[in-house]
């Protein structure tokens, strides 16, 4: 059971980043409106303030977890949260990059890519600094996240924070 809980603990900075990116999203697109072979590199859904807001909110979440759960297997703190959130926001950018290359417009849904790009980024960055949940924890995160993500986006849509309900 603990490995599932630790899996969740690991991914909280990534969820926080993903949620705060919606709240802090601004106008300046990370790709500066530039195109690659006629299609936007990333699109209007990826902004500088959304990226930075997400990363720092995720880092703050890491600091908070470290404060509340002093004994946690990742030694979670601001720095660890920062790395996980940076991975999440980079994974999110990579997901949008792939969507644009495949010809999907900003906001069009691609099942599993939309829900798991940021989780994959968080896991890869975690791996690089030697913090990862157990195998069971990772599987748990991968199964749970698509449901949580769709649920959270539905709420964000109802609260008019997001233009699309997915
Ligand atoms: N957001 C942002 N900057 C980021 C990531 C997200 O400003 N780096 C904000 C944008 O307002 C975006 C919203 O959070 O519309 C939701 O993010 P996401 O669903 O990933 O973006 P989409 O608009 O669906 O675009 P894409 O098709 O590229 O996924
Ligand atoms: Mg996305």
């Amino acid at each position: 059971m603990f490995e599932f809980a630790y899996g969740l603990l690991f991914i909280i900075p990534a969820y926080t980043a993903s949620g705060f990116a919606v709240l802090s999203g601004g106008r300046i697109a990370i790709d500066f409106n530039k195109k690659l072979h006629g299609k936007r590199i990333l699109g209007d859904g990826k902004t500088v303030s959304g990226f930075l807001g997400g990363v720092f909110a995720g880092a703050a979440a890491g600091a908070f977890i470290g404060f509340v759960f002093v004994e946690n297997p990742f030694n979670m703190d601001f720095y660890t949260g920062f790395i996980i959130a940076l991975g999440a926001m980079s994974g999110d950018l990579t997901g949008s990059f792939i969507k644009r290359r495949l010809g999907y417009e900003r906001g069009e849904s691609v099942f599993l890519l939309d829900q798991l790009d940021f989780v994959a980024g968080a896991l890869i960055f975690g791996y690089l600094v030697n913090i990862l949940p157990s195998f069971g924890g990772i599987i748990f995160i991968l199964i749970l996240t698509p449901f949580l993500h769709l649920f959270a986006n539905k709420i964000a849509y109802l609260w008019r924070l997001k233009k699309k309900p997915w």
Side-chain angles (χ1 to χ4, degrees):
M1 273 320 282
F2 268 125
E3 56 181 326
F4 295 160
Y6 287 150
L8 276 185
L9 213 58
F10 170 89
I11 208 67
I12 282 174
Y15 287 172
T16 308
S18 183
F20 261 79
V22 178
L23 298 176
S24 64
R27 287 169 182 278
I28 302 173
I30 294 176
D31 64 8
F32 291 113
N33 302 315
K34 291 213 180 341
K35 294 183 175 178
L36 188 67
H37 303 301
K39 290 171 182 141
R40 283 289 293 276
I41 300 178
L42 299 172
D44 284 333
K46 304 297 118 160
T47 68
V48 175
S49 65
F51 187 93
L52 294 177
V55 169
F56 283 98
F64 181 73
I65 292 170
F67 181 68
V68 176
F69 304 97
V70 178
E71 304 230 359
N72 69 80
F74 313 110
N75 289 319
M76 189 75 85
D77 57 10
F78 187 88
Y79 166 76
T80 328
F82 180 85
I83 299 293
I84 295 171
L86 188 64
M89 290 292 89
S90 304
D92 178 55
L93 291 190
T94 308
S96 293
F97 182 79
I98 294 171
K99 281 171 80 174
R100 301 298 90 82
R101 303 289 73 69
L102 295 175
Y104 292 98
E105 297 293 332
R106 176 247 173 123
E108 259 190 277
S109 81
V110 179
F111 185 56
L112 291 186
L113 180 63
D114 284 335
Q115 289 79 35
L116 292 178
D117 52 7
F118 74 104
V119 175
L123 289 169
I124 291 168
F125 275 49
Y127 172 77
L128 293 177
V129 296
N130 253 322
I131 38 162
L132 272 188
S134 64
F135 183 71
I138 292 175
I139 298 296
F140 181 65
I141 297 170
L142 292 177
I143 293 173
L144 182 73
T145 302
F147 295 103
L148 276 182
H149 194 266
L150 288 167
F151 180 69
N153 282 351
K154 186 120 196 151
I155 292 179
Y157 172 75
L158 292 174
W159 287 349
R160 299 179 202 280
L161 294 172
K162 227 175 160 280
K163 290 202 181 84
K164 301 274 166 65
W166 47 78

